[in-house]
Amino acid sequence: MIGTPMRFARNTEIYGEEEAAEHLYQVTSGAVRTYKILEDGRRQIGAFYLPGDIFGFEAGDTHISSAEAICESQVLMVRRSALMIRAIHEKDLARQLWDATALELRRFQNHVMLLISSAEQRVIGFLRDMARRATKNAAIELPMSRQDIADYLGLTIETISRTFTQLEQKGVISLLTSRRVELRDHVLFHGFVRNLD
Amino acid sequence: MIGTPMRFARNTEIYGEEEAAEHLYQVTSGAVRTYKILEDGRRQIGAFYLPGDIFGFEAGDTHISSAEAICESQVLMVRRSALMIRAIHEKDLARQLWDATALELRRFQNHVMLLISSAEQRVIGFLRDMARRATKNAAIELPMSRQDIADYLGLTIETISRTFTQLEQKGVISLLTSRRVELRDHVLFHGFVRNLD
DNA sequence: TTTCCCCTAAGTAGAAGCCAGTAGGTATTT
DNA sequence: AAATACCTACTGGCTTCTACTTAGGGGAAA
């Protein structure tokens, strides 16, 4: 994917909800969150995007979420219209666009699954997802704050914090620092954690 | 949309998870639910489809959910491959396919929003959604059972039942029968219900 | 260095889950 | 036709889990 490289500082907006979706983005470094503000003031984070991920691709004409850089980030920006026109002739490109959409749908579905479980399962599910997507090191780097995780999982920051501590006590994770987590193997290999007690 | 008409009896499978997504469907009568069974046995309903709605369109090669008829239903079935080939030349068709995908993404996003609210807000949100999509009668017809609603909203059947009763007592809805609900106007016109106490 | 978030800890209160039990309607059986 | 089973929906009591609140410590940014 070629495009214009752009830099965004921590907590700066990349695009806003309801704006015309003229561009498509790919993260090259850093991390991005998409979110919506609800009528009652709460914030729901829709997804996190890490290096390599494509975002801003809503299939419609306007963005359904806002996007912000979580930390200092670099992204490639491409004109959506240009891409769509090219996709008519280049079958590979068209294919890639559909794949990106399929991935996005799967992520949403996965997110729904997370939200109906207990706090512990949500956190484990989130960490497993991050582990799968991150560079295959033993430790997971979390670019986002506890508040971001809370707003993604539909929990409070305190519950996130408590659950991290409990998971460490149970030996499921190691908290190297607050932003570096190590997942123990049995959690990675088993699809699901049934009884941790 | 043209296609092969097919009938499905109540609670019969239309397609299964992980099956090749060879077809695309449009409901002509009845109602359809898509769902996934979680590792711990719970069922998460992803969406309900009513007459006119298109489903089975996952953007990928395999279905990410199973689909069942909620009640005796008729659907039109179209070969996905044929449609995609036609879409290359017919721009309108391509447009329609993207629109359907965009709608699907929006529905998922909406679903995520519902799942982070209180039980009362989830039920109200569900009913508002059904009211918007249904034929514009005063009363909403609910083809699905309380268990279906519970599995869609991530609640228990008891909570659904209790919340329906509470909403009726507060004057937000009228339960004409258990499957016919009338939404009071102020809920329809206001975007959100803040204080019902 | 210093400030300011960010994170963790602990206790209380409330919301939703779980476990019965009841009632009404429909289908099946005798 | 009566009796029975079955399915669906509603209600009450108790338990559990997570939100809310307050407080304090620690680390990153300026």
Side-chain angles (χ1 to χ4, degrees), chain B residues 14-15 23-27 32 34 49 53-57 67 75:
Chain B
I14 298 175
Y15 58 77
H23 299 96
L24 218 156
Y25 306 84
Q26 185 173 36
V27 181
V32 171
T34 55
Y49 298 93
D53 290 340
I54 291 167
F55 69 98
F57 190 43
V75 302

Side-chain angles (χ1 to χ4, degrees), chain B residues 118-119 155-156 158-159 162:
Chain B
S118 66
L155 297 169
T156 57
E158 295 95 330
T159 302
R162 249 186 287 262

Side-chain angles (χ1 to χ4, degrees), chain A residues 169-182:
Chain A
Q169 282 165 0
K170 288 180 180 177
V172 179
I173 62 172
S174 291
L175 282 166
L176 309 177
T177 75
S178 65
R179 301 284 183 108
R180 279 176 62 87
V181 184
E182 202 174 71

Side-chain angles (χ1 to χ4, degrees), chain A residues 92-103:
Chain A
D92 271 5
L93 181 60
R95 175 80 195 181
Q96 277 185 329
L97 291 179
W98 277 114
D99 286 351
T101 309
L103 185 62

Side-chain angles (χ1 to χ4, degrees), chain A residues 17 35-45 115 122 147 150-156, chain B residues 112-122 192-194:
Chain A
E17 198 181 326
Y35 67 94
K36 279 177 88 100
I37 302 293
L38 282 83
E39 296 88 336
D40 58 3
R42 284 177 306 157
R43 179 184 68 155
Q44 174 61 38
I45 290 185
L115 293 180
R122 292 190 216 189
Q147 187 63 62
D151 289 348
Y152 176 71
L153 295 178
L155 297 168
T156 58
Chain B
V112 168
M113 296 304 206
L114 275 188
L115 292 180
I116 60 162
S117 328
S118 66
E120 185 176 276
Q121 287 303 325
R122 293 190 214 190
F192 211 74
V193 181
R194 278 159 213 281

Side-chain angles (χ1 to χ4, degrees), chain A residues 10 117-120 154-156 158-159 162:
Chain A
R10 198 174 107 106
S117 328
S118 66
E120 186 176 273
L155 297 168
T156 58
E158 293 91 339
T159 301
R162 232 188 315 236

